[in-house]
Amino acid sequence: MFPTSVKEVNALGWDYIDIIFFTGDAFIDHPSFGTAAVARWLQKFGYRIAIVPQPNWRDDLRDFKKLGAPRLYFAVNSGAMDSMVNHYTASRRLRSDDAYTPGGKAGQRPDYAVTVYTRILKELYPDVPVLIGGIEASLRRLTHYDYWQDRLFPSILNMSGADYLCYGMGERTMLEFTRTIERTRNPHALKKIPQIAFYQKGTCKVKDALFLHSYEECLKDKRAFAENFHIFETHANMMHPQTLVEPYKDGYVQLNPTWPPCTMEEMDEYWDLPYTKLPHPRYKGKHIPAYEMVKYSINIHRGCFGGCNFCTIAAQQGKFIQSRSETSILKEVEGLKKLPGFAGNISDVGAPSANMYRMHGKDQALCSKCRRKSCLFPAPCKNMNLSHEHLLHLYHSIGQVKGIRHAYIGSGVRYDLFLNEKGFIDETGYPYLKELILEHTSGRLKVAPEHTEDKVLKYMAKPSFRLFGVLRREFDRIVRSSGKHCELVPYFISSHPGCTMKEMQKLSENPALKGIYMDQVQDFTPTPMTTSSVMFYTGLDPKNLQPVFVERDPQRKKQQKSFFFKKK
């Protein structure tokens, strides 16, 4: 286990620490949590890692001083969520709990945690490099709209004073950064690493860099901000993006291109690490809600090519699916049997979209040139192989592991991967849906049509609701023939850009929802670096700069959310 205190460091006999992580979450040694994933990966190559979870930023800062300065650098993240999403509801009300804290106790991390932690470290240790990463840093890497203060923020590099930012999934970047900084402290070498961002004074001289509107221009002109975001989003979904440069009054933020998608062998390496899959011993006897949700889960791939406008997955994990091998997954399944309390029930064999396992373009040469944000919207890409053959085989293999009673699918499922308005897309669609319903749900299949009206769905980048009608027809047919009792539970979003009270009324009266108990409606929350949040702030669709209706009035947003239930 990684040390979190001076006593634990001394017990290991260490006389130095290479890297000290500061994180807003309790520390759980499980691959679902980024701090553990990166720390285990660096540990594999001999680096000494210490973790300071949920440091107290209010007192004399002893948590920031107790381990001293690391040999190489500090690494900072806010945890598995943006701290503002973690703290506040869509109506900007303070949440009463925190799933990533022992006992679900709220208030154990600050607002804008990455910025707060980094400023403290730079004040205490001005000569030690600070590298920020994780969700909060990644999704605030350039100028972005902050819903909680209702204004544009500059890059988090400017706000925090961090030296470097590792965006996206961090294993390769962090290892390359660590090896480079160990070899040389020359900033020129560090600033060449893929998937690194940094702020620098002066003028960027990188050849072939793509220059965005400056932060100052974005403050004056919402159209400039929308144009910036469209360029950013296009390159975030490309296999070979350009270097992006965002100018500031006295300098610029440079965003280096991503690494190529991980191979299956690399993905297996990331999961074949000696995780305990347990919370740190310091939390003995304490309940951590987020851990309880994932402790018996299996993640089978990274990435999502759905391209939903309100989603941040592609900006963090990429559009291209990076899958683990069946051998690696089955090895992890066997390991679950050794965990305390495991009774043979896997809570989730999932991923960002559970049924994209091993899906990819038939002609990868076309994918390498592609600039589409979504492989599914406005229509499925003809180059995409949507077969569920590999996934069905994986489910069957897991089911044959001795001691496994159930393998549930808790992650979201994209039904437009196996259905179109005429029926099933290929011969694997029906077997997949049947097995999903009868073998991998606990009686409730949750899906996310998000809305019923095409006008709103267009702004969400989601398929027509007519497809849900096809799903319900096939769902009912499978359930009737099985004799089992199962429910189809749709999920909807209210107050999304483009949605008026009229669209919510139509949603509530849609005949395809008759007889369905609906409690899954959420008010839209603009989170940093999504198309939907840009629409919310600018009133423009960044793709074509056309006006979009946005409901900003808190009372009317509340009415949109409640309208469905009132009609019912």
Side-chain angles (χ1 to χ4, degrees):
M1 182 59 76
F2 297 97
T4 63
S5 67
V6 174
K7 182 179 178 181
E8 291 166 2
V9 170
N10 291 338
L12 292 170
W14 290 0
D15 56 354
Y16 66 88
I17 302 168
D18 290 312
I19 305 151
I20 301 175
F21 280 76
F22 283 81
T23 178
D25 287 347
F27 180 63
I28 300 167
D29 189 22
H30 189 288
S32 293
F33 300 91
T35 300
V38 173
R40 281 293 182 191
W41 182 241
L42 295 175
Q43 183 191 56
K44 176 180 178 178
F45 296 91
Y47 293 104
R48 293 180 178 181
I49 314 295
I51 316 286
V52 181
Q54 300 188 313
N56 190 336
W57 74 100
R58 299 185 180 100
D59 60 6
D60 59 2
L61 307 181
R62 67 187 68 182
D63 284 346
F64 293 87
K65 302 172 185 175
K66 63 183 180 181
L67 299 181
R71 184 172 71 95
L72 299 177
Y73 61 92
F74 290 110
V76 173
N77 67 67
S78 68
M81 294 175 66
D82 184 284
S83 57
M84 301 305 286
V85 178
N86 178 279
H87 282 175
Y88 299 95
T89 67
S91 58
R92 297 188 176 98
R93 291 185 177 179
L94 193 64
R95 299 184 191 274
S96 59
D97 57 7
D98 182 345
Y100 296 88
T101 299
K105 185 179 179 181
Q108 300 306 296
R109 81 187 81 212
D111 288 357
Y112 307 107
V114 169
T115 294
V116 172
Y117 294 162
T118 301
R119 286 177 176 175
I120 291 170
L121 290 169
K122 294 306 290 182
E123 180 70 25
L124 294 174
Y125 308 99
D127 298 326
V128 180
V130 176
L131 171 68
I132 58 176
I135 293 288
E136 184 167 303
S138 288
L139 300 182
R140 295 173 180 266
R141 56 191 184 257
L142 295 172
T143 296
H144 58 280
Y145 172 64
D146 184 83
Y147 173 65
W148 298 273
Q149 293 196 30
D150 192 26
R151 64 184 180 89
L152 284 191
F153 277 8
S155 166
I156 195 171
L157 284 160
N158 297 66
M159 296 186 65
S160 67
D163 300 283
Y164 304 95
L165 188 160
C166 166
Y167 70 90
M169 308 307 279
E171 290 94 344
R172 282 185 287 186
T173 306
M174 293 292 283
L175 180 59
E176 185 66 22
F177 182 86
T178 305
R179 285 173 163 171
T180 303
I181 204 169
E182 184 175 38
R183 185 176 67 251
T184 173
R185 296 288 177 135
N186 185 348
H188 184 70
L190 294 167
K191 290 173 181 177
K192 289 183 175 181
I193 297 171
Q195 238 162 284
I196 283 283
F198 55 88
Y199 174 80
Q200 185 162 308
K201 290 188 176 182
T203 304
C204 178
K205 297 181 175 60
V206 175
K207 292 181 180 179
D208 301 322
L210 190 58
F211 282 76
L212 306 174
H213 295 292
S214 71
Y215 168 64
E216 289 76 18
E217 286 179 90
C218 292
L219 287 177
K220 295 176 183 177
D221 183 1
K222 290 183 177 181
R223 188 183 182 95
F225 174 60
E227 289 174 346
N228 268 14
F229 182 80
H230 180 59
I231 294 170
F232 159 78
E233 186 175 50
T234 299
H235 283 259
N237 288 286
M238 290 171 59
M239 193 175 290
H240 304 293
Q242 289 177 254
T243 298
L244 297 184
V245 174
E246 183 177 75
Y248 284 75
K249 185 177 181 180
D250 57 352
Y252 61 95
V253 168
Q254 180 173 316
L255 195 68
N256 288 349
T258 56
W259 297 91
C262 295
T263 64
M264 185 174 285
E265 291 73 23
E266 287 173 318
M267 288 290 288
D268 287 355
E269 278 192 283
Y270 299 155
W271 265 265
D272 188 22
L273 295 168
Y275 297 103
T276 64
K277 287 203 167 183
L278 298 170
H280 192 277
R282 67 188 284 158
Y283 309 119
K284 186 176 181 181
K286 295 182 179 179
H287 177 85
I288 304 175
Y291 169 66
E292 298 300 324
M293 291 174 61
V294 302
K295 63 180 178 180
Y296 303 139
S297 67
I298 302 286
N299 195 304
I300 60 176
H301 72 73
R302 286 179 179 171
C304 178
F305 53 77
C308 300
N309 281 343
F310 48 80
C311 184
T312 61
I313 290 170
Q316 175 69 11
Q317 297 193 15
K319 177 177 77 172
F320 300 98
I321 302 304
Q322 301 152 80
S323 300
R324 300 169 60 190
S325 70
E326 189 173 297
T327 301
S328 171
I329 295 167
L330 293 176
K331 181 179 177 181
E332 187 176 1
V333 170
E334 287 284 354
L336 288 178
K337 295 190 290 184
K338 301 174 185 176
L339 290 178
F342 182 68
N345 298 313
I346 302 174
S347 61
D348 187 18
V349 180
S353 291
N355 57 326
M356 289 185 178
Y357 180 67
R358 295 187 66 174
M359 290 186 179
H360 54 76
K362 300 168 189 174
D363 184 349
Q364 286 292 291
L366 293 178
C367 292
S368 68
K369 302 173 185 176
C370 181
R371 297 173 69 92
R372 279 184 62 164
K373 169 189 170 181
S374 171
C375 303
L376 294 176
F377 185 85
C381 175
K382 294 180 180 179
N383 187 45
M384 178 60 67
N385 177 5
L386 299 178
S387 171
H388 286 66
E389 179 183 4
H390 290 298
L391 193 52
L392 282 167
H393 191 274
L394 174 64
Y395 290 169
H396 296 161
S397 297
I398 292 173
Q400 291 171 4
V401 175
K402 187 176 180 181
I404 299 301
R405 298 169 59 196
H406 298 288
Y408 296 111
I409 312 303
S411 300
V413 170
R414 292 285 303 226
Y415 51 86
D416 49 347
L417 291 175
F418 54 83
L419 286 175
N420 58 30
E421 292 182 24
K422 295 179 180 178
F424 291 101
I425 291 173
D426 66 13
E427 67 280 359
T428 67
Y430 175 77
Y432 175 76
L433 180 59
K434 182 178 180 180
E435 177 154 339
L436 176 68
I437 296 168
L438 302 182
E439 303 295 335
H440 302 292
T441 66
S442 56
R444 303 184 87 201
L445 177 61
K446 295 182 180 182
V447 293
E450 312 294 4
H451 215 284
T452 60
E453 304 310 298
D454 286 344
K455 175 187 172 184
V456 182
L457 289 167
K458 181 189 74 170
Y459 290 123
M460 293 178 166
K462 294 286 288 188
S464 170
F465 188 69
R466 291 189 294 274
L467 199 56
F468 178 83
V470 179
L471 174 68
R472 185 172 185 186
R473 182 190 71 207
E474 299 298 340
F475 177 90
D476 289 345
R477 185 180 299 171
I478 290 169
V479 171
R480 277 197 306 269
S481 64
S482 72
K484 292 188 176 183
H485 175 72
C486 296
E487 292 180 314
L488 187 61
V489 183
Y491 177 93
F492 295 100
I493 296 177
S494 61
S495 302
H496 187 278
C499 182
T500 69
M501 206 69 72
K502 179 181 177 181
E503 278 74 42
M504 284 305 290
Q505 180 176 356
K506 288 183 176 180
L507 186 159
S508 70
E509 297 172 347
N510 193 291
L513 297 174
K514 186 177 181 180
I516 290 180
Y517 178 72
M518 242 307 300
D519 61 351
Q520 302 289 311
V521 176
Q522 181 175 330
D523 189 23
F524 168 65
T525 303
T527 53
M529 303 293 274
T530 68
T531 302
S532 298
S533 68
V534 174
M535 289 183 194
F536 183 88
Y537 170 69
T538 64
L540 301 170
D541 184 340
K543 188 174 182 179
N544 54 29
L545 300 179
Q546 293 300 304
V548 180
F549 168 79
V550 177
E551 184 57 80
R552 295 189 178 88
D553 180 80
Q555 189 59 35
R556 291 186 65 82
K557 282 170 65 70
K558 187 176 180 180
Q559 288 174 354
Q560 277 208 28
K561 183 178 179 181
S562 64
F563 189 88
F564 182 87
F565 302 104
K566 288 179 181 178
K567 294 297 290 184
K568 289 297 180 185

Coordinates of all heavy atoms in Angstrom, one line a residue, residues 3 14 26 33 73 91 150 153 176 189 197 213 287 295 297 330 339 372 388 393 406 461 463 465 541 551:
P3 N 2.2 4.9 1.1 CA 2.2 5.6 2.3 C 1.5 6.9 2.2 O 1.5 7.6 1.2 CB 3.7 5.8 2.6 CG 4.3 5.8 1.3 CD 3.6 4.8 0.5
W14 N 12.1 4.4 3.8 CA 12.4 5.4 2.7 C 13.2 6.6 3.3 O 12.8 7.1 4.3 CB 11.2 5.8 2.0 CG 10.5 4.8 1.2 CD1 10.9 3.5 1.0 CD2 9.3 5.0 0.4 NE1 10.0 2.9 0.2 CE2 9.0 3.7 -0.2 CE3 8.5 6.1 0.1 CZ2 7.9 3.6 -1.1 CZ3 7.4 5.9 -0.7 CH2 7.1 4.7 -1.3
A26 N -10.8 10.4 -1.0 CA -10.1 9.4 -0.1 C -9.3 8.4 -1.0 O -9.7 8.2 -2.2 CB -11.2 8.6 0.6
F33 N -10.1 4.4 -9.9 CA -9.7 5.7 -9.4 C -8.3 6.1 -10.0 O -7.4 5.4 -9.9 CB -9.6 5.7 -7.9 CG -11.0 5.3 -7.3 CD1 -11.3 4.0 -7.0 CD2 -11.9 6.3 -7.0 CE1 -12.5 3.7 -6.4 CE2 -13.1 6.0 -6.5 CZ -13.4 4.7 -6.2
Y73 N 8.6 15.8 -8.2 CA 7.6 16.8 -8.4 C 6.4 16.4 -7.6 O 6.2 15.3 -7.1 CB 7.2 16.9 -9.9 CG 6.6 15.6 -10.5 CD1 5.3 15.3 -10.5 CD2 7.5 14.7 -11.1 CE1 4.8 14.2 -11.1 CE2 7.0 13.6 -11.7 CZ 5.6 13.3 -11.7 OH 5.1 12.2 -12.3
S91 N -29.0 23.3 -9.5 CA -29.6 24.6 -9.1 C -28.6 25.3 -8.2 O -29.0 26.3 -7.5 CB -30.9 24.3 -8.3 OG -30.7 23.5 -7.2
D150 N -20.8 31.6 -13.3 CA -21.5 32.1 -14.5 C -20.6 33.1 -15.3 O -21.0 34.2 -15.7 CB -22.8 32.8 -14.1 CG -23.7 33.1 -15.4 OD1 -23.5 32.4 -16.4 OD2 -24.4 34.1 -15.3
F153 N -13.7 31.3 -17.4 CA -12.4 31.2 -16.7 C -11.3 31.0 -17.7 O -11.5 30.4 -18.8 CB -12.5 30.0 -15.8 CG -13.1 30.2 -14.4 CD1 -13.8 31.4 -14.2 CD2 -13.1 29.3 -13.5 CE1 -14.4 31.6 -13.0 CE2 -13.7 29.5 -12.2 CZ -14.4 30.7 -12.0
E176 N 6.4 9.2 -19.0 CA 7.3 9.9 -19.9 C 7.8 11.2 -19.2 O 9.0 11.5 -19.2 CB 6.7 10.2 -21.2 CG 7.6 10.9 -22.2 CD 8.8 10.0 -22.7 OE1 8.6 8.8 -22.6 OE2 9.8 10.6 -23.1
A189 N 12.7 20.1 -22.8 CA 12.4 18.7 -23.0 C 11.0 18.3 -22.5 O 10.3 17.5 -23.1 CB 13.5 17.8 -22.4
A197 N 0.1 20.0 -21.3 CA -0.2 21.4 -21.6 C 0.6 22.3 -20.6 O 0.9 21.8 -19.5 CB -1.7 21.7 -21.4
H213 N -8.5 31.9 -30.8 CA -8.7 33.2 -30.3 C -8.2 33.3 -28.9 O -8.2 32.4 -28.1 CB -10.2 33.6 -30.3 CG -10.9 33.6 -31.6 ND1 -10.6 34.5 -32.5 CD2 -11.8 32.8 -32.1 CE1 -11.3 34.3 -33.6 NE2 -12.1 33.3 -33.4
H287 N -17.1 3.6 5.9 CA -17.9 3.3 4.6 C -17.6 4.5 3.7 O -17.8 5.6 4.0 CB -19.4 3.3 5.0 CG -20.2 3.1 3.8 ND1 -20.6 1.9 3.2 CD2 -20.9 4.0 3.0 CE1 -21.4 2.1 2.2 NE2 -21.6 3.3 2.0
K295 N -16.5 -1.7 -6.1 CA -15.5 -2.6 -5.6 C -15.6 -4.0 -6.3 O -14.6 -4.7 -6.4 CB -15.6 -2.8 -4.1 CG -16.9 -3.3 -3.6 CD -16.9 -3.4 -2.0 CE -18.1 -3.9 -1.4 NZ -18.1 -4.0 0.0
S297 N -16.7 -4.4 -9.5 CA -16.9 -4.1 -10.9 C -15.7 -4.4 -11.8 O -14.6 -4.5 -11.2 CB -17.3 -2.6 -11.1 OG -16.2 -1.8 -10.8
L330 N -10.7 -11.8 -17.7 CA -11.0 -13.0 -16.9 C -10.0 -13.2 -15.7 O -10.4 -13.7 -14.7 CB -10.9 -14.3 -17.8 CG -12.0 -14.3 -18.9 CD1 -11.7 -15.5 -19.8 CD2 -13.4 -14.4 -18.3
L339 N -11.6 -11.1 -2.8 CA -11.9 -9.9 -2.1 C -12.9 -10.2 -1.0 O -13.8 -11.0 -1.1 CB -12.6 -8.8 -3.0 CG -11.6 -8.2 -4.1 CD1 -12.4 -7.2 -4.9 CD2 -10.5 -7.5 -3.4
R372 N -14.9 13.5 -37.7 CA -16.2 13.5 -37.1 C -16.1 13.4 -35.6 O -15.2 12.6 -35.1 CB -16.9 12.2 -37.6 CG -17.6 12.4 -38.9 CD -18.4 11.1 -39.3 NE -19.5 10.8 -38.4 CZ -20.5 10.0 -38.7 NH1 -20.6 9.4 -39.8 NH2 -21.5 9.8 -37.8
H388 N -21.6 -7.2 -32.0 CA -21.5 -7.5 -30.5 C -20.9 -8.9 -30.3 O -21.0 -9.4 -29.2 CB -22.8 -7.4 -29.9 CG -23.3 -6.0 -29.7 ND1 -23.6 -5.2 -30.8 CD2 -23.5 -5.2 -28.6 CE1 -24.0 -4.0 -30.3 NE2 -23.9 -4.0 -29.0
H393 N -19.2 -13.2 -26.5 CA -18.2 -14.2 -26.1 C -17.6 -13.9 -24.8 O -17.4 -14.8 -23.9 CB -17.1 -14.3 -27.2 CG -16.2 -15.5 -27.0 ND1 -15.1 -15.5 -26.2 CD2 -16.3 -16.7 -27.6 CE1 -14.5 -16.7 -26.2 NE2 -15.2 -17.4 -27.1
H406 N -23.6 -14.0 -10.9 CA -24.2 -13.0 -11.8 C -23.1 -12.0 -12.3 O -22.2 -11.7 -11.5 CB -25.3 -12.3 -11.2 CG -26.4 -13.1 -10.7 ND1 -27.3 -13.7 -11.6 CD2 -26.8 -13.5 -9.5 CE1 -28.2 -14.4 -10.9 NE2 -28.0 -14.3 -9.6
A461 N -27.1 15.7 -29.8 CA -26.4 14.8 -30.7 C -26.8 13.4 -30.3 O -26.0 12.5 -30.2 CB -24.9 15.0 -30.6
P463 N -29.8 10.1 -31.1 CA -30.7 9.6 -32.2 C -32.2 9.9 -31.9 O -32.6 10.2 -30.8 CB -30.4 8.1 -32.2 CG -30.0 7.8 -30.8 CD -29.2 9.0 -30.4
F465 N -36.1 9.7 -31.1 CA -36.8 8.9 -30.1 C -37.5 7.7 -30.7 O -37.9 6.8 -30.0 CB -37.7 9.8 -29.3 CG -38.4 9.1 -28.1 CD1 -37.6 8.8 -27.0 CD2 -39.7 8.8 -28.1 CE1 -38.2 8.1 -25.9 CE2 -40.3 8.2 -27.0 CZ -39.6 7.9 -25.9
D541 N -24.9 27.5 -31.3 CA -24.4 26.1 -31.6 C -22.9 26.3 -32.1 O -22.8 26.9 -33.2 CB -25.3 25.5 -32.6 CG -24.9 24.0 -32.9 OD1 -23.7 23.6 -32.6 OD2 -25.7 23.3 -33.4
E551 N -32.7 28.0 -21.7 CA -33.5 28.4 -20.5 C -32.5 28.6 -19.3 O -31.9 27.6 -18.8 CB -34.5 27.3 -20.1 CG -35.4 27.7 -18.9 CD -36.2 29.0 -19.2 OE1 -37.2 28.9 -19.9 OE2 -35.7 30.0 -18.6

